[in-house]
Amino acid sequence: MNKNIEIRIREIKRQNMARYLIILLIILLYLIPFYQNYLVLNKERSWDKMKVANHDNILSFSDKPFYSEDFVYQAKPDTMCHVSSICSAGNNKMACTWYAGSRENAEDVAIYFSIFDEEKASWTNPIVLVDRKQCSRELNRYIKKVGNSLIFDDKNGRLWLFYVSIVMGGWSGSTLNYKVSSDGGYTWSKSRKMILSPFFNLTHNVKNKGINFDDGSFLLPVYHEFIKKFSQLVWVRPGETAVQYEIRKMSREKKAIQPSLLHTREKDLVAFFRNMASGERNYILMAHSNDLGQTWSELNNTPLPNPNSGFDMIKLSDGAYLGVINNSFYDRSNLTIVISCDKGKTWKSLKILENTPDKRYAYPSISRSGQGFYHITYTFESKKIKHVVFNEAWIKQLNGYCN
Amino acid sequence: MDIAIRGYFEFLFPLLLVTWAIFGIARFTKTLDLIGKIGKPVVIAFSVLITLYPFTGLSLAEYLLSLNPNYSIGSIVFFFIIVCKEFGRKPLLSYKNLLQFSIWNVGISLCLFASYLGFVDFDLYALGYGFSFWFVVTALLTIILTLLRNPLSFIFILYIISFDLKLLYSNNFFDYITDGVLFLISLGIVMFAVVKFLILKYRKSYA
């Protein structure tokens, strides 16, 4: 009897010992992310520790005012083009992407690419960078269509193409992919899918460029359209073998999408949002962050009207905010360059780029080249991608510039 | 974790799902009985073939991964358990444990999706990228389940092992715990259990 009790006690002890060992194992397993987060990553690559790469020292080489206009692309008959994006490609070159096809969200939509040479003042012949078949081949996934794209240059001179692919449904079914070029857009990596959402990876779309950090990582503004419409910010960290992401919400209330990000100072960012709220008179929305985009203030109206349309903003070398917007509450028939000299509180109209009733001029993208020229591209009556170039000397001589 | 290993690992869920479906069809059509002893290996071989072979340019696994690019460890374990039922006499999880697992999946998924899709202010998903209080919560739950000798503790341990090994493409811990497919399946199981419970209660009250 005693022997049986002893065996039983020994068995219980053994079981308890096994359980304690498992608990120890659990603690050790959880210590790994703790160690990575607080003892390794925090020292090198924590969002809090990032510094925005400084682009403000780029000044225009020319004191003479310069302004020019041309077209990047003319859509074929019975097709349209839309959502252009422009960024510096190094060596006095600018890279531009857009999509074209029979209609928005059609299966024949492809993403096009062209390079502008500032010395020659000419565009290369547009090429198809990716269409749904190529995307499907590169990702080894079924892809029904592709859509919005964004081209962005990181601090290390690489070009990133972020673009949307859709397996089913419309824009609310969009997910993001990327391709990278290390030679100014001549060759590109295979497409890779970004996993940013826990719910069927739904949904993310892009419009405006991000902000570079000193270490080569960057912030990418994205927006969400499945059930609710809001904006998010992705911290993209390119590694040696893989790219890692972290995503944070920028807005919750109101229908604020397509954020345009500006770095104001140190860890302060300001974002301007397209306003998708119902109602007749809507304004561009604005929010601030003082921790490099991890948390955001509530949304406030700016004085700028927004007819539920995309726009873009950039910071000039003297700190003024320059925007390209549809300066109307009702439609996209007017496209105007606006400026704010007081950090977005008040705005003045600088130059009306387009103003033809019943026509559409939409989705501007603005970027500064290494030579200090400002390049704007936008959809011109759904049939062309128009390109406008100017320098700061040209802006400064306009009526309404900050003095 | 090497990207190539992740590339192979992502096929595990589609393979388990298709194997489970083919076992179901074979059982329903009584094909398994017809084939005899080699029935189960044949089903497995057939499942591997139709899951991984690109008959239409893409394989069935790639089509399934097109719908959801990130199947969680929870989903993989769930289908592993039900596929294993075809081989063992004793299931890896009892019905009670499976129901507990489903309730956990539904609960955590509802909180996560409500937060991510913007229905609540709190950004729960952001806590999954690096060590946060959420990791402490799951660690404590795992320890409690271990002390209670609940077999779900093994699933919880698998979450953190696979996260440490970065077996999935996502670097968010929540993507290792749940996903949309697991939520829908678990919701189905929980709703079925609730309906069954209500019917039994209704019958008892009228007996």
Side-chain angles (χ1 to χ4, degrees):
Chain A
M1 188 70 176
N2 277 348
K3 211 173 183 184
N4 278 348
I5 292 171
E6 252 178 50
I7 292 168
R8 182 77 188 127
I9 289 169
R10 227 177 284 156
E11 181 66 23
I12 289 169
K13 274 184 181 173
R14 208 177 299 147
Q15 282 178 359
N16 281 343
M17 183 63 78
R19 236 175 294 162
Y20 293 137
L21 281 174
I22 292 172
I23 289 168
L24 189 68
L25 173 75
I26 293 164
I27 293 167
L28 286 174
L29 288 168
Y30 275 92
L31 277 177
I32 294 172
F34 177 83
Y35 172 77
Q36 287 169 337
N37 205 51
Y38 292 108
L39 302 173
V40 181
L41 184 68
N42 205 33
K43 279 183 185 163
E44 301 155 12
R45 303 194 102 187
S46 152
W47 198 326
D48 294 318
K49 296 257 172 9
M50 290 296 113
K51 279 183 184 168
V52 173
N54 189 10
H55 295 295
D56 292 345
N57 53 359
I58 300 167
L59 293 171
S60 179
F61 294 141
S62 171
D63 291 336
K64 279 187 185 172
F66 177 86
Y67 179 90
S68 81
E69 295 177 354
D70 61 348
F71 288 97
V72 186
Y73 178 76
Q74 159 90 55
K76 290 169 193 153
D78 300 323
T79 65
M80 53 82 72
C81 54
H82 196 28
V83 194
S84 65
S85 175
I86 189 163
C87 77
S88 172
N91 299 326
N92 306 329
K93 289 188 169 67
M94 298 298 285
C96 182
T97 61
W98 63 94
Y99 74 72
S102 55
R103 61 180 166 78
E104 190 171 313
N105 243 328
E107 289 186 19
D108 63 358
V109 161
I111 294 164
Y112 288 75
F113 175 74
S114 182
I115 294 174
F116 182 75
D117 189 326
E118 285 186 331
E119 304 287 321
K120 295 175 187 165
S122 66
W123 288 95
T124 57
N125 283 331
I127 56 159
V128 172
L129 202 53
V130 65
D131 58 11
R132 82 175 184 95
K133 283 181 183 166
Q134 189 186 339
C135 175
S136 177
R137 255 195 324 271
E138 290 180 354
L139 292 171
N140 285 322
R141 299 288 181 268
Y142 170 73
I143 301 294
K144 197 177 177 194
K145 48 204 172 189
V146 296
N148 285 16
S149 67
L150 165 75
I151 193 155
F152 178 69
D153 55 319
D154 74 10
K155 204 215 156 216
N156 297 322
R158 283 177 299 189
L159 289 179
W160 292 74
L161 174 81
F162 293 96
Y163 71 96
V164 156
S165 65
I166 297 169
V167 173
M168 62 170 83
W171 290 127
S172 59
S174 55
T175 59
L176 279 184
N177 315 288
Y178 68 86
K179 286 167 86 76
V180 189
S181 171
S182 302
D183 57 6
Y186 291 98
T187 58
W188 290 85
S189 70
K190 272 187 175 182
S191 300
R192 285 205 173 274
K193 184 153 286 298
M194 296 173 81
I195 295 168
L196 299 170
S197 157
F199 189 75
F200 293 98
N201 203 26
L202 298 173
T203 105
H204 297 96
N205 207 332
V206 281
K207 160 71 177 79
N208 291 324
K209 62 196 167 291
I211 285 181
N212 277 312
F213 286 149
D214 254 352
D215 71 337
S217 65
F218 54 88
L219 295 176
L220 174 73
V222 300
Y223 61 100
H224 178 106
E225 289 189 282
F226 179 67
I227 305 177
K228 286 198 155 197
K229 294 178 194 297
F230 55 86
S231 295
Q232 292 169 298
L233 196 56
V234 187
W235 177 27
V236 182
R237 303 196 306 266
E240 278 177 23
T241 53
V243 177
Q244 295 203 316
Y245 330 99
E246 270 191 48
I247 192 161
R248 295 281 192 280
K249 281 205 178 108
M250 294 180 76
S251 63
R252 289 175 187 86
E253 82 280 30
K254 298 182 182 174
K255 293 178 176 178
I257 63 162
Q258 298 177 352
S260 179
L261 281 183
L262 300 180
H263 175 236
T264 50
R265 65 184 176 91
E266 291 176 7
K267 292 186 184 296
D268 295 353
L269 303 179
V270 61
F272 297 91
F273 302 85
R274 169 177 172 178
N275 192 338
M276 289 194 85
S278 53
E280 281 206 345
R281 292 171 71 86
N282 288 316
Y283 295 88
I284 287 176
L285 299 161
M286 182 166 80
H288 291 92
S289 168
N290 47 29
D291 55 7
L292 288 176
Q294 293 180 81
T295 57
W296 288 86
S297 69
E298 291 203 350
L299 294 163
N300 292 306
N301 277 343
T302 65
L304 297 170
N306 188 236
N308 186 10
S309 67
F311 59 87
D312 201 2
M313 304 250 179
I314 198 166
K315 201 174 87 171
L316 299 180
S317 60
D318 60 2
Y321 300 169
L322 193 80
V324 191
I325 66 162
N326 291 117
N327 200 5
S328 160
F329 285 110
Y330 311 106
D331 59 29
R332 301 178 180 184
S333 62
N334 170 300
L335 195 71
T336 304
I337 299 177
V338 292
I339 194 161
S340 173
C341 312
D342 53 9
K343 302 204 177 298
K345 286 179 198 127
T346 60
W347 292 82
K348 287 178 221 167
S349 176
L350 269 190
K351 160 90 177 167
I352 296 170
L353 293 172
E354 306 288 349
N355 193 15
T356 310
D358 301 327
K359 299 286 183 189
R360 285 161 65 94
Y361 309 98
Y363 272 64
S365 172
I366 183 165
S367 190
R368 183 166 49 198
S369 72
Q371 293 224 50
F373 286 103
Y374 291 84
H375 293 255
I376 299 172
T377 55
Y378 55 91
T379 310
F380 183 90
E381 298 173 5
S382 302
K383 287 285 173 194
K384 293 174 184 176
I385 300 296
K386 192 167 177 179
H387 174 225
V388 171
V389 193
F390 53 86
N391 59 6
E392 285 205 13
W394 176 79
I395 301 169
K396 285 176 180 169
Q397 48 91 46
L398 293 172
N399 278 338
Y401 183 76
C402 326
N403 281 314
Chain B
M1 181 61 64
D2 188 63
I3 273 189
I5 295 173
R6 276 186 222 152
Y8 293 119
F9 190 78
E10 70 177 353
F11 288 121
L12 192 54
F13 174 84
L15 187 59
L16 289 167
L17 177 70
V18 173
T19 307
W20 168 74
I22 291 178
F23 263 118
I25 294 166
R27 204 166 288 287
F28 183 73
T29 56
K30 295 185 177 163
T31 318
L32 268 183
D33 302 337
L34 287 174
I35 301 172
K37 277 185 180 176
I38 57 158
K40 285 175 182 174
V42 166
V43 166
I44 301 242
F46 184 63
S47 303
V48 171
L49 180 74
I50 67 158
T51 309
L52 302 179
Y53 189 79
F55 288 104
T56 57
L58 292 175
S59 65
L60 186 54
E62 286 162 344
Y63 278 106
L64 288 167
L65 287 162
S66 306
L67 293 172
N68 185 22
N70 195 78
Y71 292 100
S72 65
I73 298 301
S75 283
I76 293 168
V77 169
F78 180 88
F79 277 94
F80 181 75
I81 288 164
I82 58 171
V83 167
C84 278
K85 253 171 81 176
E86 300 289 342
F87 295 93
R89 285 179 195 164
K90 201 182 164 195
L92 291 177
L93 275 190
S94 66
Y95 176 72
K96 190 182 151 195
N97 292 142
L98 196 67
L99 191 58
Q100 287 170 345
F101 183 49
S102 301
I103 291 168
W104 156 254
N105 290 330
V106 170
I108 189 65
S109 303
L110 279 176
C111 294
L112 182 67
F113 300 157
S115 160
Y116 191 83
L117 297 173
F119 293 103
V120 290
D121 264 2
F122 187 65
D123 194 355
L124 187 62
Y125 193 60
L127 297 179
Y129 287 109
F131 193 88
S132 63
F133 84 81
W134 172 250
F135 284 71
V136 179
V137 170
T138 45
L140 286 174
L141 276 173
T142 316
I143 290 169
I144 291 166
L145 288 169
T146 307
L147 290 171
L148 292 172
R149 294 188 194 184
N150 189 313
L152 294 188
S153 59
F154 290 106
I155 301 176
F156 276 65
I157 292 171
L158 283 177
Y159 292 155
I160 188 68
I161 290 176
S162 48
F163 179 74
D164 287 346
L165 291 173
K166 298 280 179 279
L167 281 176
L168 304 180
Y169 284 107
S170 171
N171 53 329
N172 191 305
F173 190 36
F174 284 104
D175 288 326
Y176 288 74
I177 295 172
T178 189
D179 61 78
V181 173
L182 184 64
F183 167 66
L184 294 175
I185 293 168
S186 299
L187 187 66
I189 291 171
V190 172
M191 283 174 70
F192 181 76
V194 169
V195 169
K196 200 172 144 189
F197 172 76
L198 289 174
I199 290 170
L200 282 174
K201 205 178 164 189
Y202 178 81
R203 275 187 190 161
K204 263 186 191 173
S205 63
Y206 280 87

